[in-house]
Amino acid sequence: MPPRRLTFPEGFLWGAATSAYQIEGAWNEDDKGESIWDRFSHTPGNILDNSTGDIACDHYHRWHEDVALMKGLGLEAYRFSVSWPRILPTGHGRVNQVGLDFYSRLVDGLLEAGIEPFPTLYHWDLPQSLQDKGGWSERSTAEAFVEYADIVSRKLGDRVKHWITHNEPWSTVVMGHKLGMHAPGQKDFPAALKVSHHLLLSHGWAVPVLRRNSPDAEVGITLVLFPIVPGPSNTAALPVFRKCDGYFNRWFLDPLYGRHYPADMVAEYINAGYLPAEGLNFVRPGDLEAIAAQTDFLGVNYYTPVITRRRVTPENENEPLTLLYNGPEYDYTDIGMMAYPDGLRHLLNRLYFDYQPGKMYITENGASYSDGPDGKGRVRDQRRLNFLRDHLLAAHRALECGVPLAGYFVWSLMDNFEWSFGYGQRFGLLWIDYENQRRILKDSALWYKQVIDENGFAVPARSP
Ligand code: FCB
């Protein structure tokens, strides 16, 4: 059987993604303020290899070279994030012009290279001074976010045509405030629920501001979303599915799409003592209307599914939220996340049927594999290439069903500081030699370049 060719729709955007703290370095240069990730990584015991983002990929100084590499790859779009404390060192008030100029030059450089900039305003590096006043558990942080969004979009809004307000509120809520594995390192689920509301509220408030300052731009938010897959041993029951889906997906999707917070989850959290008997007492009149502001696209980050399990062990019996199951019967990437390409097709189809976003972008998808340069300096990361190919195949199947998917961003353009894992996990298309900051194109990058050139790829013949 000859190989089948997959072709993506005309205008489908091929991109790659990064975030400020993970690549920029220059953590205290040019009047940048301290962020919660500076504080968190500088506190011993938080990062697996005791590293920090102080230097990272030194992108702050090497962005020229990085844009040239992107151009060489034929990238059509680049998703990066703006560091809030570079713009407003104390979170609000005084503006740091040098910080603003950095992103302005980056946007110009991208446009000159024919690359569409997709800035994300919040990819987790909250100014530490706002954290000192309570961070996202305070409503005032949502107000400060709007001030910040206004300043950045006034500066860049004439050139930026795609804005992303937030990256993965779920991660800030759960990793940062429930599990304490991300900055600010809190373990307080009741506070985390407030955090989730203020994140969404700040998004909703920022949407009209971005539209005003950047009238021709599309505005959206990026969520990390999980297809829920029944695991072994009688876990396909609807209540288990509903609870997982509520915890990971609906808690964010429902209010964004005008459906209020899911009532079943509110009841669950009241029962578990995470919310007071009166429920969501931090939601004020008008908040839900603000959160449901019409957006132009939904950004979807997909890495791994959630496999349900029954609550069977004495340790998790009374814990309503431990629903993840990791079975040895699946494929895992080096970071321990299950690779499940077909989950992307299910997820995209479900989002389209259930929420009808006008447009979707896969704003992150990728894999951590540690393959490094061989004796000749070549990085043969065939596993990453397969991972990306299989996920693109799944995305294409969703496209064939009519899902309005407009683009795909590999996470990540380059190896970088992988949060609490430090530099041990490598997601990049570019290998970074952290000793000398040399960048090497991995095999997956060369393959991706060809995919972009041809707007598709040949699918290897599969046995029936
Ligand atoms: C996502 C984050 C991104 C990166 C990838 C691996 O959750 O948005 O910064 O860490 O995971």
Side-chain angles (χ1 to χ4, degrees), residues 19 22 79 123-124 167-168 171 224 301 303 335 337 364 411 418-419 427:
S19 86
Q22 293 178 278
R79 175 174 176 240
H123 201 127
W124 307 352
N167 180 65
E168 301 191 354
S171 302
V224 60
N301 289 0
Y303 288 95
I335 202 168
M337 290 199 271
E364 285 181 32
W411 183 271
E418 179 46 36
W419 309 114
F427 280 86

Side-chain angles (χ1 to χ4, degrees), residues 46-80:
N46 284 335
I47 310 297
L48 205 61
D49 58 5
N50 292 315
S51 63
T52 70
D54 290 4
I55 299 173
C57 308
D58 196 28
H59 171 78
Y60 187 73
H61 299 115
R62 293 169 194 264
W63 66 270
H64 248 118
E65 175 190 351
D66 291 336
V67 172
L69 285 164
M70 288 184 231
K71 187 176 178 188
L73 284 177
L75 285 192
E76 297 167 345
Y78 174 51
R79 175 174 176 240
F80 59 97

Side-chain angles (χ1 to χ4, degrees), residues 131-391:
Q131 187 61 47
D132 295 341
K133 295 183 199 128
W136 285 110
S137 59
E138 293 298 322
R139 221 173 147 89
S140 55
T141 298
E143 288 159 8
F145 178 80
V146 180
E147 181 183 332
Y148 158 61
D150 184 34
I151 290 160
V152 176
S153 56
R154 271 176 204 267
K155 179 81 176 180
L156 308 181
D158 54 336
R159 288 155 288 158
V160 164
K161 301 291 172 236
H162 300 86
W163 291 98
I164 297 172
T165 52
H166 280 279
N167 180 65
E168 301 191 354
W170 180 87
S171 302
T172 299
V173 172
V174 173
M175 305 299 286
H177 294 82
K178 175 177 188 275
L179 302 175
M181 290 165 68
H182 281 183
Q186 292 179 0
K187 294 184 185 169
D188 180 349
F189 196 52
L193 290 171
K194 271 195 217 167
V195 166
S196 74
H197 182 61
H198 296 146
L199 286 165
L200 293 180
L201 189 59
S202 74
H203 154 82
W205 281 344
V207 169
V209 173
L210 295 169
R211 293 205 189 288
R212 185 187 67 217
N213 295 342
S214 199
D216 314 327
E218 292 185 344
V219 180
I221 185 169
T222 281
L223 303 181
V224 60
L225 294 162
F226 303 84
I228 313 294
V229 179
S233 70
N234 189 25
T235 57
L238 186 61
V240 177
F241 167 78
R242 291 283 296 167
K243 201 184 292 179
C244 281
D245 192 42
Y247 175 64
F248 288 98
N249 301 321
R250 287 184 292 120
W251 189 258
F252 301 91
L253 285 163
D254 279 10
L256 286 168
Y257 285 89
R259 298 183 192 172
H260 206 299
Y261 289 98
D264 57 327
M265 296 310 293
V266 173
E268 176 83 26
Y269 295 149
I270 293 172
N271 279 339
Y274 295 134
L275 286 174
E278 71 268 26
L280 301 165
N281 56 0
F282 43 80
V283 176
R284 297 195 192 161
D287 285 4
L288 288 157
E289 290 73 15
I291 291 173
Q294 173 92 33
T295 49
D296 302 296
F297 65 86
L298 174 66
V300 178
N301 289 0
Y302 173 62
Y303 288 95
T304 197
V306 166
I307 310 288
T308 59
R309 71 171 175 206
R310 262 195 313 178
R311 284 185 267 137
V312 282
T313 68
E315 293 76 47
N316 69 20
E317 209 163 32
N318 299 314
E319 166 58 271
L321 303 175
T322 50
L323 297 159
L324 276 171
Y325 171 87
N326 284 332
E329 59 273 45
Y330 302 97
D331 278 345
Y332 293 88
T333 60
D334 286 354
I335 202 168
M337 290 199 271
M338 185 194 302
Y340 185 61
D342 217 32
L344 182 57
R345 173 167 67 116
H346 290 297
L347 178 63
L348 292 171
N349 284 334
R350 181 273 170 103
L351 290 169
Y352 184 47
F353 288 140
D354 209 350
Y355 295 95
Q356 299 275 310
K359 210 186 244 194
M360 287 188 269
Y361 292 98
I362 296 168
T363 41
E364 285 181 32
N365 175 237
S368 168
Y369 290 116
S370 58
D371 311 283
D374 63 15
K376 294 188 177 131
R378 175 169 166 196
V379 182
R380 298 170 190 266
D381 60 336
Q382 185 67 38
R383 292 180 297 172
R384 176 172 295 97
L385 190 161
N386 293 348
F387 180 101
L388 297 175
R389 185 197 60 212
D390 292 350
H391 283 78

